[in-house]
């Protein structure tokens, strides 16, 4: 990926309405390289699915709240999306985006052994926000996210994948790249810059 | 962008189901309904939702199997042990002051939540004054609930949950195992009444001390949620308790003022007395 290609793909960023991120094994370290860099002026809401053990409280909010410049919350059912906020999926629930821009939870069957599932979030987000959506798949050791990312790509949204050779676990980003030829494949630092630009263009 | 034709077809399908079978999914959370209808369409081998509509409107058996896609049946005995621990430690002491106790489990699925409460009540010594009413719209689930039969391979998880909930006895005391299944003890089933009742269409259920409705409201849009919460409000005695799912709350409800937060963490509310 050359510098100019990255800038070119920045053209359509102005109208981005949401960013969705999915990650599994190695998630916390990867997200720590990205989310704290988002500036206070960051506009689109960011919805994050991390595969977590179902039977424990998630510490994501505590962990990231202390380090991020924008608000961090765990999703509540029917919560409206607010600009400049990071939403983490709660353990043991899928998160879906409703047409009115609220978030719904569901305890439907796990997908790829995962609840929350990245595919479930991405598919519903694509339905509501594409093409004005950015989908990001980071490190992880299963295939969740690939199908969802392809839906985002098909809907004309921007798709970004962590470079598999730079990922703690390469299975998930590799599966996403295989499903979405033409996705931007970037390092964590490049992904952080890419997302920060979403705000700078306006 | 969603496909506008498909959105129209899905609306028409839900309208058709309502008129033909009187099951009303029109006010459910659409993102999840769409997902499950997509699965159903694939399973039924229909290339469009219009074809699926054609099929289910003319074939009641097909509708019955569609119903299992439209209603999510995931549950466990003592699912979210911390909730049952909070009931045990915080709510039961209040319930002990009533000479008789009515408990409504709304959206009871195959009875897991109801039997968890029955076991809890027995451990706390108030089971003999209690009646448990389980309601759902899925007839298959209600049948399973009445039978109280669960696959044996679910028992280890149930047992773990029960212990984490502060269980004072061994779960094995409450079921008998045989033929690859665990059957809930008859003495517990005796206090349970299961019936068909829809939070969307039916009316109040009368004079409850405790209503537990977990992981049902998440499938409703906000208007339907408010209808259901209104039903709960009108079905509870003054100072009665309402327990919701781990990620549900009254925060976005118009009835929020009728309740006080009793355990914020475990989503337990208490109906306020008259003002
Ligand atoms: C995910 S299960 C919840 C089971 C259990 N309460 C728990 O939390 O483990 C949701 C249940 O709600 C039922 N349900 C869906 N719509 C309903 C309605 N309108 N009225 C009553 N029950 C409904 C479904 O059939 C299903 O059994």
């Amino acid at each position: 990926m050359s510098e100019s290609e990255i800038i070119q793909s920045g053209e359509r960023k102005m109208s981005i309405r949401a960013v969705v991120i999915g990650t599994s094994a190695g998630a916390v370290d990867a997200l720590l390289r990205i989310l704290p860099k988002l500036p206070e002026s960051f506009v689109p809401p960011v919805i994050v699915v991390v595969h977590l053990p179902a039977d424990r409280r998630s510490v994501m909010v505590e962990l990231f709240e202390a380090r991020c410049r924008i608000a961090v919350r765990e999703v509540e059912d029917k919560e409206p999306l607010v600009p400049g906020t990071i939403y983490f999926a709660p353990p043991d629930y899928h998160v879906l985006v409703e047409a009115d821009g609220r978030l719904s939870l569901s305890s439907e069957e796990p997908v790829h052994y995962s609840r929350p599932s990245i595919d479930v979030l991405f598919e519903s987000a694509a339905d509501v926000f594409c093409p004005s959506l950015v989908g990001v798949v980071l490190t992880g050791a299963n295939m969740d996210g690939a199908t969802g990312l392809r839906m985002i790509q098909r809907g004309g949204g921007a798709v970004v994948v962590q470079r598999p050779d730079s990922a703690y676990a390469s299975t998930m980003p590799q599966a996403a790249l295989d499903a979405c030829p033409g996705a931007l494949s970037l390092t964590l630092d490049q992904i952080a810059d890419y997302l920060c630009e979403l705000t700078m263009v306006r | 962008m969603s496909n506008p034709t498909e959105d129209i077809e899905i609306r028409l399908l839900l309208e058709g189901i309502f008129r033909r079978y009187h099951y009303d999914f029109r006010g459910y959370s659409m993102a999840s309904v769409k997902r499950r209808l997509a699965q159903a369409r694939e399973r039924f081998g229909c290339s469009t939702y219009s074809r699926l509509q054609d099929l289910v409107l003319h074939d009641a058996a097909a509708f019955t199997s569609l119903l299992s896609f439209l209603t999510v049946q995931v549950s466990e005995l003592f699912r979210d042990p911390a909730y049952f621990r909070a009931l045990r430690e915080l709510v039961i002491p209040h319930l002990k002051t009533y000479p008789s106790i009515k408990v409504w489990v709304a959206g009871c699925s195959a009875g897991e939540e109801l039997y968890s409460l029955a076991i809890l009540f027995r451990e706390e010594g108030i089971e003999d004054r209690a009646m448990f009413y389980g309601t759902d719209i899925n007839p298959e689930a209600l049948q399973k609930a009445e039978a109280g039969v669960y696959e044996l391979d679910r028992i280890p998880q149930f047992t773990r949950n029960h212990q984490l909930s502060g269980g004072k006895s061994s779960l094995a005391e409450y079921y008998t195992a045989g033929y690859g299944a665990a059957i809930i003890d008859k003495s517990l089933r005796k206090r349970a009444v299961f019936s068909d009742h829809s939070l969307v269409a039916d009316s109040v259920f009368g004079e409850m001390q405790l209503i537990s409705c977990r992981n049902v409201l998440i499938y409703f849009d906000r208007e339907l949620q408010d209808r259901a919460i209104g039903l709960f409000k009108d079905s509870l005695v003054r100072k009665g308790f309402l327990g919701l799912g781990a990620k549900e709350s009254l925060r976005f409800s118009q009835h929020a003022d009728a309740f006080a937060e009793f355990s914020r963490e475990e989503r337990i509310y208490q109906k306020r007395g008259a003002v």
Side-chain angles (χ1 to χ4, degrees), chain B residues 28 71-73 75 79 107 109 113 136 198-200 214-215:
Chain B
Y28 279 47
T71 60
V72 175
Q73 295 301 327
S75 191
R79 175 185 195 172
S109 194
E113 187 181 337
D136 206 285
S198 171
L199 295 169
V200 177
R214 313 197 68 223
N215 302 304

Side-chain angles (χ1 to χ4, degrees), chain B residues 28-216:
Chain B
Y28 279 47
S29 304
M30 270 311 133
S32 168
V33 165
K34 266 176 135 173
R35 215 183 101 70
R36 286 174 279 136
L37 281 178
Q39 290 168 350
R41 197 182 83 180
E42 206 180 295
R43 184 74 63 83
F44 286 103
C46 296
S47 58
T48 64
Y49 291 108
S50 302
R51 297 219 159 86
L52 182 61
Q53 175 183 318
D54 187 32
L55 178 71
V56 298
L57 288 189
H58 294 103
D59 179 351
F63 172 68
T64 308
S65 36
L66 182 65
L67 199 55
S68 66
F69 284 91
L70 284 169
T71 60
V72 175
Q73 295 301 327
V74 178
S75 191
E76 288 163 24
L77 242 57
F78 295 94
R79 175 185 195 172
D80 301 324
Y83 170 75
F84 290 93
R85 183 182 280 275
L87 289 180
R88 192 188 291 277
E89 290 170 0
L90 306 173
V91 174
I92 298 273
H94 289 264
L95 296 183
K96 281 186 170 163
T97 63
Y98 292 98
S100 77
I101 306 164
K102 290 213 246 173
V103 179
W104 177 17
V105 181
C108 63
S109 194
E112 294 91 338
E113 187 181 337
L114 185 145
Y115 290 125
S116 308
L117 289 171
I119 292 168
L120 180 76
F121 275 47
R122 181 173 294 182
E123 287 179 328
E124 299 303 323
I126 54 172
E127 181 217 6
D128 50 357
R129 319 174 221 168
M131 273 310 284
F132 300 90
Y133 301 89
T135 60
D136 206 285
I137 58 166
N138 184 316
E140 227 170 277
L142 285 169
Q143 263 169 29
K144 284 192 199 157
E146 215 148 286
V149 177
Y150 304 107
E151 294 84 9
L152 267 187
D153 59 5
R154 299 176 71 190
I155 294 292
Q157 161 118 62
F158 292 177
T159 304
R160 220 164 28 241
N161 287 351
H162 173 241
Q163 271 157 16
L164 288 171
S165 80
K168 293 177 171 164
S169 49
S170 155
L171 191 66
E173 288 174 32
Y174 306 104
Y175 64 85
T176 45
Y179 305 108
I183 304 168
I184 297 286
D185 197 71
K186 214 188 333 190
S187 61
L188 283 174
R189 279 184 283 140
K190 191 176 73 187
R191 311 218 140 258
V193 180
F194 292 98
S195 48
D196 178 28
H197 177 281
S198 171
L199 295 169
V200 177
D202 295 321
S203 59
V204 293
F205 216 67
E207 304 294 283
M208 300 289 155
Q209 273 72 30
L210 169 64
I211 298 176
S212 192
C213 180
R214 313 197 68 223
N215 302 304
V216 181

